[in-house]
C-alpha cells in the first residue's frame, strides 16, 4: 500500500496479476477450509506457511497456526525434541514472513507468543533484532520486540542503555534509539540505580553526549528533541509548587455585601463584593495536583471553619452541575466597554497599598537548595553553547531552543529572587520568535503564541507595567459593582492567554480586539465577573468552556467573533458534552431546542451556557446569530437582562 | 497552474471507489481480502463525505457485513475469517453510516468487545492476546457508538493509555514504545471520548505534531521519516482534538493532498505519482474535510465518521 509507483496497467501485467491472484486465492480458501474443519496435518500446515510467506497479513492463518501448535503439542506426549521442533518451525515461518514484510503485526505477535512459551535463546533473538536494526533502525516493531525480550529475559536497563549508546554513536539520526535511551534513563534515575545518582551527574554526561549530535548535524531533529527532554529534567521542580494564591498569603480582605459599605471607598485590590456572602479561595500550582483537601490545606480566617471549605479542581473536566441559585438583584446596570467609560488608574492616588499588594502576590520562598545553583549554571552553559552553534549555522530548532532556554533562565532567576528580578531576555526572545516566523513560516502561529506569552510576562511581571493596564471603570449610579478596577489587555495582538497566576485578583477584564482563538487559563481567575472578548477569533461556543468554572461571571461580551463561521470545531472534545461522556443526567437539551433547528450549533451553545447566571450578553457580529438563535439563548439563560444592548422584558 | 490550489476530482474518486468494491480478481484485491471490512469503511465513509453514499446498494452491503459476524459477537475482516476488534469497529462504523445500528444485537457485540479488556485496563485485539493502544481506541470508540461504554472499566482503560505517554508528549502502542502519529491519534481520541484530554500536555504534543509538517507541506508520522497522505488524518485529527491545528500551514497541506490524486483514474496515493488505494483515498479526503476544503462534509476527529452521523447518534430525540 505504500511506496509503489503509479503505472498504467498493461495487458500482460493484468494476466500475470490474475494468475498470482488465483494461486493466492487457492491458498486462502484451503486455509479457511482447514481452519474451520480443524485439520492440522503436515500438508495443511505447509499450506498455511506458504500463505503466510506470500501474505503475512493474513491474520486468520496465524491464528490457525497457534491452534495447530496447541493441538500438536497435546498429541506429542511431551517429547522434548518434538516440542522443540514444533516451536522452531513456528520461528522459521515468522522469519520467512518478516523477510516479506518486516512490519507485519501478525508475524511479530506470533513470535512473541512462541517466545512466551519458553522457547529460543536470548542470543538468537538479539541477533535477529540486530539484523532488523541494520535494515531499518526506525522499525518500531523491532524496537517493541526488543523491549519485550529485555523484559522477558531480565536484561538490565544498563545494558540496553549501552546498546543505545552504540547505535547513536554509529548514527546520530536515530530518534528511536534516543527515545529508548530516555525511557531507560528515566527508570534508572527514578530508581536511583547505582551509577545513576545523583541526577545532576547523569545529566551533565547526557548534555555532552547530545552536544555531539547537535554540532554534527544541527538540522536533524532527533538530538534536539532529546535536548528538550534534558532541559525539562533540568528545570522541572521535583515536587509541585504553589505558585500563587488569592487572597495572598497574610493579606487582609474586606468582604462587602449589598447595602453594606459604599464599594467605591474600598481599595479594589483588597476588597471583594459578594451578594451570596461567599468568596473563592484560589490555590494556583505549577502543575495539576491531587490531594488538596481540608487536611492538607489549613486556612486561618475570622469567618469560617477550616472544615467548611470544599476544594474543587479546575484542571479537569468533571461533571459539575452549576448551582442554579441566582441572587435577585434590585437594579442591574448595563456595563459599557467603551473607552470613555474607563479612566486610567492613577498610581499616585492615596491607596492602602496596591503596590505592596502586588508584592504579596508571589509566594515567598524560604530556602534555596544548593542544587538549584547547578540548574541555573547548566542553563547558562547551554545558552552559551547554542549561541555558539547559531553563530556557525542558521538553524531553526537551534533558535527555538535558545528562546526556550532564555525564558527558562528568566523564570528560574525570578523564582530564586522575586523582588530584584528583571526579565532581561524578553526583548531578545521576542526577536528570536520574529526571526523564526520568517525562517519557518509554516509554523508561524506557534511562534506567534509564544510571543503572546512573552508579552504577557512583560506586562504582568512588575508592578509598574501592570498598573499601566489597570483602569477604573466609571459606573454612573451607585451599584453593587464594588471593585471597579478593570485590567485592560485589549489591542495587544494576543493570540494566547498566559501568566494567569499573576492575575487571580482580577474581577473585570477587557481582552477585546486581540486574536484569541481560545481562553484556556481563564478558569483560574475565579473572581472574574465582567469579561470582554469582543473582536477576537473565537470560532465556536465550545471555546468558552473555561467560563463554566467562573461562578461569578455576570457580564460577557463575545460580539464580533467567528462563531458559526467554521465547519470544523477544534474544541469539540475540550468541553463537557455527551460526545465525551462528561455530562450528568441533567442534560435536557431536547427541551430547549426548536424542532426544526440544525442541531449542530445549538447543542454547543447549550453545553456551554446552561446553568450560567449571566445578566448581560453581547453576541452580535457572529455568523451564528439570528433571531431564532437569540430566543433559544434567552430560554437557556433565564437571568439575562441585557442582550446586544437591549433590555429584555 | 503554479500557485493555485487545484481541484478535487470528486467524480473520478467516486468511480474509483465503486470500482474497487466490484473488482475482486486482481492480486492487490486478493491480498487485501482479509481486511475488506476496513476497506468497506474507508470507501463508504469517503463516499459519504463526498455526499455520494446513495450510489451503493445499502442492503447488499449490510447483509455482507452481518455475514462476517462470528458467533462470539465479533466481526472478521471478510466472510469466514476470524473475529478481531479491528474489523468489529469497522462493521459498527459502516452500520452507523447507514443509520442501521439497530440490525445488531448490541449487547452481543458489546460483550465481545468488553471481554477483550485486560486487568491492567489494556485491550487485546482478539483471543490471542496482542495488546496495543489501537485496540483501546477501538474498544472505546465502538462502545461509545453503541452507547455501551459502561461495560468496560473506563478509569483503568484511561490509566493504561496514560501509561503509554512518552517524554516527548506523544504516545506509543505499549508502555515505553516510541511516539507515532497513528498511535497518538488512537490515544488522543480515546482520551477525548472519555473526557480525559487533561492528561495530554497539549503544548508539548502540539509542537511535536506540528513539526510533522515538512518543507513540501506534507506531514510525516515521526521525526525524520517520509511524509505520507495518511498522516493528514492521524496528525491533523490529533491536532484538532487538542486545538492546535492552527500550528500548521493548512494551505500547503491541501496542496500536497491534491497533488497525490490520480486525476485520470481516480483515487489518492501516499505520495504524488505512487499507486492509489482506497486507504489513502479516505485519509486524503478526510484530511481535506478537516482543512475545510469546500464541498465536503465535516468529519468528527475522534469517531472518524461524518459529524452528522455522530450528531444523529448523540443528539437526536
Amino acid at each position: 500500500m505504500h511506496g509503489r509507483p503509479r503505472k498504467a496497467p498493461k495487458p500482460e501485467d493484468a494476466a500475470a496479476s490474475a494468475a498470482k491472484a488465483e494461486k493466492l486465492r487457492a491458498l486462502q480458501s484451503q486455509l479457511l477450509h482447514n481452519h474451520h474443519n480443524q485439520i492440522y496435518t503436515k500438508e495443511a500446515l505447509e499450506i498455511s506457511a506458504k500463505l503466510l510467506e506470500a501474505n503475512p497479513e493474513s491474520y486468520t492463518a496465524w491464528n490457525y497456526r497457534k491452534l495447530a501448535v496447541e493441538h500438536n503439542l497435546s498429541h506429542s506426549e511431551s517429547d522434548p525434541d518434538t516440542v522443540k521442533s514444533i516451536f522452531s518451525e513456528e520461528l522459521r515461518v515468522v522469519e520467512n514472513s518478516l523477510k516479506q514484510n518486516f512490519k507485519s503485526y501478525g508475524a511479530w505477535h506470533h513470535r512473541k507468543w512462541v517466545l512466551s512459551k519458553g522457547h529460543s535463546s536470548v542470543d538468537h533473538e538479539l541477533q535477529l533484532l540486530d539484523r532488523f536494526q541494520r535494515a531499518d533502525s526506525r522499525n518500531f516493531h523491532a524496537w517493541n520486540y526488543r523491549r519485550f525480550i529485555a523484559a522477558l529475559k531480565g536484561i538490565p536497563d544498563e545494558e540496553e542503555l549501552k546498546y543505545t549508546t552504540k547505535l547513536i554513536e554509529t548514527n546520530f539520526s536515530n530518534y528511536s534509539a534516543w527515545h529508548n535511551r530516555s525511557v531507560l534513563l528515566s527508570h534508572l534515575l527514578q530508581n536511583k540505580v547505582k551509577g545513576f545518582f545523583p541526577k545532576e551527574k547523569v545529566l551533565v554526561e547526557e548534555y555532552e553526549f547530545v552536544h555531539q549530535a547537535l554540532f554534527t548535524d544541527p538540522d536533524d531533529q532527533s538530538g534536539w528533541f532529546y535536548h528538550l527532554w534534558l532541559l525539562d529534567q533540568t528545570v522541572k521542580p521535583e515536587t509541585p509548587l504553589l505558585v500563587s494564591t488569592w487572597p495572598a498569603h497574610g493579606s487582609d480582605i474586606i468582604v462587602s455585601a449589598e447595602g453594606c459599605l459604599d464599594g467605591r471607598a474600598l481599595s479594589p485590590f483588597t476588597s471583594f463584593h459578594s451578594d451570596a456572602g461567599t468568596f473563592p479561595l484560589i490555590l494556583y500550582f505549577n502543575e495539576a495536583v491531587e490531594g488538596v483537601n481540608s487536611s492538607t490545606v489549613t486556612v486561618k480566617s475570622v469567618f469560617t471553619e477550616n472544615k467548611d471549605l470544599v476544594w474543587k479542581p479546575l484542571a479537569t473536566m468533571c461533571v459539575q452541575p452549576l448551582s442554579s441559585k441566582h441572587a435577585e438583584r434590585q437594579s442591574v446596570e448595563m456595563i459599557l466597554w467603551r473607552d470613555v467609560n474607563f479612566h486610567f488608574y492613577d498610581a499616585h492616588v492615596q491607596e492602602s497599598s496596591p503596590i505592596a499588594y502586588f508584592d504579596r502576590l508571589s509566594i515567598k520562598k524560604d530556602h534555596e537548595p544548593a542544587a538549584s545553583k547547578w540548574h541555573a549554571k547548566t542553563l547558562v552553559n547551554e545558552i552559551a553553547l547554542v549561541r555558539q552553534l547559531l553563530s556557525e549555522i542558521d538553524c531553526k530548532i537551534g533558535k527555538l531552543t535558545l528562546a526556550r532556554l532564555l525564558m527558562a533562565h528568566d523564570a528560574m532567576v525570578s523564582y530564586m529572587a522575586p523582588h530584584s528580578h528583571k526579565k532581561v531576555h524578553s526583548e531578545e526572545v521576542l526577536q528570536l520568535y520574529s526571526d523564526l516566523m520568517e525562517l519557518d513560516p509554516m509554523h508561524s502561529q506557534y511562534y506567534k503564541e509564544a510571543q503572546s506569552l512573552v508579552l504577557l510576562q512583560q506586562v504582568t511581571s512588575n508592578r509598574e507595567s501592570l498598573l499601566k493596564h489597570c483602569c477604573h471603570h466609571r459606573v454612573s449610579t451607585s451599584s453593587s459593582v464594588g471593585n471597579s478596577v478593570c485590567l485592560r489587555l485589549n489591542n495587544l495582538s494576543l493570540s494566547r492567554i498566559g501568566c494567569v497566576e499573576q492575575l487571580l485578583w482580577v474581577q473585570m477584564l477587557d481582552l477585546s480586539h486581540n486574536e484569541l482563538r481560545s481562553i484556556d487559563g481563564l478558569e483560574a481567575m475565579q473572581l472574574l465577573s465582567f469579561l470582554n472578548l469582543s473582536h477576537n477569533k473565537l470560532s465556536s461556543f465550545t471555546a468558552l468552556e473555561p467560563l463554566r468554572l467562573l461562578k461569578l461571571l455576570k457580564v460577557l461580551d463575545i460580539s464580533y467573533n467567528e462563531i458559526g463561521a467554521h465547519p470544523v470545531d477544534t474544541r469539540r472534545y475540550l468541553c463537557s458534552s455527551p460526545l465525551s461522556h462528561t455530562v450528568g443526567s441533567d442534560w435536557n437539551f431536547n427541551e430547549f431546542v426548536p424542532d426544526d433547528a440544525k442541531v449542530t450549533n445549538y447543542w454547543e451553545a447549550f453545553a456551554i451556557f446552561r446553568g450560567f447566571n449571566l445578566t448581560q450578553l453581547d453576541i452580535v457580529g457572529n455568523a451564528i446569530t439570528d433571531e431564532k438563535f437569540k430566543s433559544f439563548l434567552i430560554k437557556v439563560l433565564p437571568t439575562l437582562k441585557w442582550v446586544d444592548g437591549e433590555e429584555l422584558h | 497552474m503554479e500557485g493555485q490550489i487545484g481541484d478535487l476530482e470528486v467524480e473520478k474518486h467516486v468511480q474509483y471507489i465503486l470500482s474497487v468494491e466490484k473488482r475482486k480478481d486482481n492480486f492487490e484485491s486478493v491480498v487485501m481480502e482479509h481486511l475488506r471490512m476496513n476497506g468497506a469503511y474507508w470507501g463508504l465513509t469517503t463516499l459519504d463525505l463526498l455526499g455520494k453514499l446513495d450510489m451503493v446498494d445499502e442492503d447488499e452491503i449490510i447483509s455482507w457485513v452481518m455475514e462476517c459476524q462470528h458467533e462470539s459477537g465479533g466481526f472478521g475482516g471478510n466472510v469466514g475469517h476470524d473475529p478481531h476488534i479491528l474489523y468489529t469497529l469497522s462493521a459498527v462504523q459502516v452500520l452507523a453510516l447507514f443509520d442501521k445500528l439497530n440490525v445488531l444485537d448490541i449487547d452481543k457485540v458489546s460483550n465481545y468487545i468488553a471481554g477483550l479488556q485486560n486487568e491492567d485496563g489494556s485491550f487485546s485485539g482478539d483471543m490471542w492476546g496482542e495488546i496495543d493502544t489501537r485496540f483501546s481506541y477501538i474498544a472505546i470508540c465502538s462502545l461509545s457508538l453503541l452507547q455501551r461504554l459502561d461495560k468496560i472499566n473506563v478509569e483503568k482503560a484511561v490509566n493504561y493509555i496514560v501509561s503509554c505517554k512518552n517524554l516527548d508528549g506523544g504516545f506509543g502502542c505499549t508502555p515505553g514504545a516510541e511516539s507515532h502519529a497513528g498511535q497518538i491519534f488512537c490515544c488522543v481520541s480515546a482520551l477525548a471520548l472519555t473526557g480525559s484530554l487533561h492528561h495530554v500536555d497539549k503544548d508539548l504534543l502540539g509542537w511535536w505534531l506540528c513539526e510533522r509538517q515538512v518543507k513540501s507541506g506534507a506531514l510525516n508520522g515521526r521525526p525524520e521519516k517520509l511524509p505520507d497522505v495518511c498522516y493528514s488524518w492521524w496528525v491533523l485529527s490529533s491536532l484538532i482534538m487538542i486545538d492546535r491545528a492552527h500550528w500548521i500551514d493548512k494551505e500547503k497541506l491541501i496542496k500536497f493532498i491534491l497533488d497525490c490524486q490520480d486525476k485520470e483514474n481516480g483515487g489518492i496515493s501516499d505520495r504524488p505519482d505512487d499507486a492509489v488505494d482506497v486507504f489513502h483515498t479516505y485519509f486524503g479526503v478526510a484530511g481535506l474535510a478537516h482543512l475545510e476544503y469546500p464541498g465536503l462534509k465535516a468529519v468528527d476527529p475522534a469517531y472518524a465518521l461524518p459529524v452528522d452521523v455522530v450528531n444523529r447518534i448523540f443528539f437526536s430525540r
Side-chain angles (χ1 to χ4, degrees), chain A residues 105 140-141 144 147, chain B residues 131-134 136 160 164 166 171-180 183 187:
Chain A
Y105 285 99
F140 65 80
H141 297 270
N144 289 345
R147 277 182 282 268
Chain B
I131 293 177
D132 189 315
T133 45
R134 286 179 296 151
S136 301
Y160 180 76
C164 298
N166 289 321
F171 294 83
C173 38
T174 43
E178 187 184 341
S179 299
H180 178 282
Q183 306 295 147
C187 292

Side-chain angles (χ1 to χ4, degrees), chain A residues 531-565:
Chain A
L531 178 60
N532 186 351
L533 289 167
S534 70
H535 298 267
N536 273 287
K537 290 195 186 301
L538 298 171
S539 62
S540 61
F541 287 114
T542 46
L544 302 174
E545 173 77 7
L547 300 182
R548 285 188 65 69
L549 291 164
L550 301 180
K551 308 281 199 289
L552 300 174
L553 192 67
K554 292 277 174 285
V555 171
L556 177 64
D557 187 342
I558 49 173
S559 59
Y560 300 99
N561 275 280
E562 298 173 10
I563 300 174

